[in-house]
Amino acid sequence: MSDREQTSMQDLAAAYALGALSPEETRAFEEYLAGSRDAQREVAEFREVSALLAEGARGAAPDAGLRERVLQRIGREKVVPLADRRARTPRVPFPIWIALAASLILAVGLGTMLVKSRRELAARQAAIDSVRATLAQVETRLTERENTLNAIMEPGVTLSLLSTTNAPEPRVQLFWNREKNQAIVHAFHLTPADSGLVYQLWFIKDGKPIPSITFNSEPSGHSLVQNVVLPEGAITHAAVTLEPRGGSLQPTSPVIMIGELRASS
Amino acid sequence: MPDRGTLEATTGDLPLIQRIASGDERAVGELYDRYGAVLYAVTFRILGERADAEEVVMETFAQVWREATRFDTERGSVPAWLTMMARSRALDQVRSRDRRERLATSAAREDDSRAPAMGTWGKDPTREAEQNERKRKVVDAMAALSQPQREAIELAYYEGLSQSEIAERLKEPLGTIKTRVRLGMMKLRDVLRPYYFESAS
């Protein structure tokens, strides 16, 4: 991911509701979504907008017969579909009709049972599907955790701690992979920023702050940002400030946390 | 300002879904009477072909029939759910076929000039008036966006392009497109909020 693509997750809700995220972004956003009630509400609202936009498309009218075909389609889902309409009215010699009539009575009874058990089956299938979906979500999350772990444990990665001057918490861990010149930023016990504000990371070079990513923490106080690209040159410190949403080019508020970047492990 | 009272006409989506969940086929017919025309219109606009749009509408209602038990009000209104299913089916189909030439030819061939969909709602004048009002508000809200914002949202909505694909198509930076989509949708949200469907939380 490039630097620009590190748009803060919450900015992706509208595009997600429109279905305009790439598959990778969709996966990442859905993981974020699972843990954020705010984002769920936002997505739900943008989905209402999306539903309303359909109203703007009104123009083409469906055939009057479509309603009936919809109902037929549903009727077919309940019972075993017959391959062909003609198959229902076979031309058969007379005596067979009697036997057929008898079996038909039986079939109606069986049909009713079939309808019932089909719905039960559908309900069970639905339950299985939902368990599967949860499992897939958990697997995705696990894979991502594992990737994070692997990235942290690569050779040449150094850990720096950013903390407030007078308290042990909140804290930000910065895992710096100097070979790739990338970092993973992990914040904990960090109170989520007030609305309209975000946390912004700065790298200090020659005593001057260079703007980096903005982020916010979950209600749990955690935040994890991967693939943070470091500016070229000798970076001595990293710091965090509170900035208006969208970030700033120069810090507009006092430094909350600061830490020295260790040049060697 | 909208008259909140007009929204009364949409009450009862949820009981309808509950009836469908319990196996009442007639409720599917009633749901179709409410949303069949708009779902058809939006899928027709996406697919450009009558038969394909009809198929998507039928499949969408079949999905409602199968999944009504799983409908979750927390995730939005019934029409939002329906639109999401129909659009996602239609867009899947668009993506899976080599669409561009087909659409160009089929749009010319099948420029749908039949009576407007509104006619099919005639059974319930209140509902019809409400729908006309809603459509007008949506058209106005779209018209109030800047042209680039509208273009980006329409490419996503009707052609199923991702933001990166839109950027590529318009030869604009991805960041620019993302901003257009986000700000455009936020504007629509703010303007259209009073017109959300009843079961939206």
Side-chain angles (χ1 to χ4, degrees), chain A residues 4-5 7 11-12 14-15 17-22 25 37 42 44-63 66-67 69-71 73-75 77-78 119 126 129 245, chain B residues 20-21 25 28-29 32-33 38 40 44 50 54-55 58-59 61-62 65-66 70 74 76-77 80 83-84 87 114-118 121 131 134-135 138 157-158 162-163 178 182 185 189 193 195-197 200:
Chain A
R4 189 192 289 144
E5 279 172 281
T7 326
D11 289 351
L12 296 179
L18 271 181
L21 294 183
S22 68
E25 283 175 317
R37 295 284 297 168
E42 218 179 347
E45 212 183 346
F46 281 123
R47 280 193 177 137
E48 297 305 321
V49 174
S50 178
L52 277 173
L53 290 186
E55 298 280 329
R58 277 180 193 279
D63 268 337
L66 184 57
R67 184 187 201 271
R69 287 165 63 204
V70 163
L71 293 177
R73 173 75 54 103
I74 285 155
E77 296 229 341
K78 286 202 312 187
R119 283 204 78 77
D129 285 351
R245 238 176 118 158
Chain B
I20 294 172
E25 281 173 63
V28 178
Y32 178 89
D33 291 338
V38 72
Y40 174 81
F44 180 81
R50 178 165 284 278
E54 287 175 346
E55 185 58 33
M58 285 191 279
E59 276 304 310
F61 281 98
W65 177 246
R66 286 192 299 267
R70 279 190 274 170
E74 290 247 317
S77 68
T83 312
M84 204 167 64
R87 264 191 77 230
R114 300 188 188 204
M118 260 50 93
W121 298 89
Q131 261 147 5
R134 213 179 246 147
K135 174 179 178 175
V138 172
Y157 198 78
Y158 292 115
S162 70
Q163 297 183 119
K178 284 185 169 176
R182 191 164 65 87
M185 285 294 282
R189 177 189 65 188
R193 191 173 272 139
Y195 303 97
Y196 288 169
F197 293 93

Side-chain angles (χ1 to χ4, degrees), chain A residues 17-33:
Chain A
L18 271 181
L21 294 183
S22 68
E24 304 82 66
E25 283 175 317
T26 303
R27 266 193 297 279
F29 184 79
E30 279 174 352
E31 200 204 344
Y32 163 75
L33 192 63

Side-chain angles (χ1 to χ4, degrees), chain A residues 3 8 25 30 36 47 60 92 126 141 148 185 194 203 247 253 264:
Chain A
D3 208 19
S8 123
E25 283 175 317
E30 279 174 352
S36 167
R47 280 193 177 137
V92 283
R141 234 173 281 174
T148 310
V185 176
D194 290 338
F203 290 109
S253 71
S264 61

Side-chain angles (χ1 to χ4, degrees), chain A residues 243-265:
Chain A
E243 299 295 333
R245 238 176 118 158
S248 310
L249 289 172
Q250 286 293 325
T252 61
S253 71
V255 167
I256 303 170
M257 282 172 280
I258 188 158
E260 201 175 333
L261 287 203
R262 293 168 54 195
S264 61
S265 42

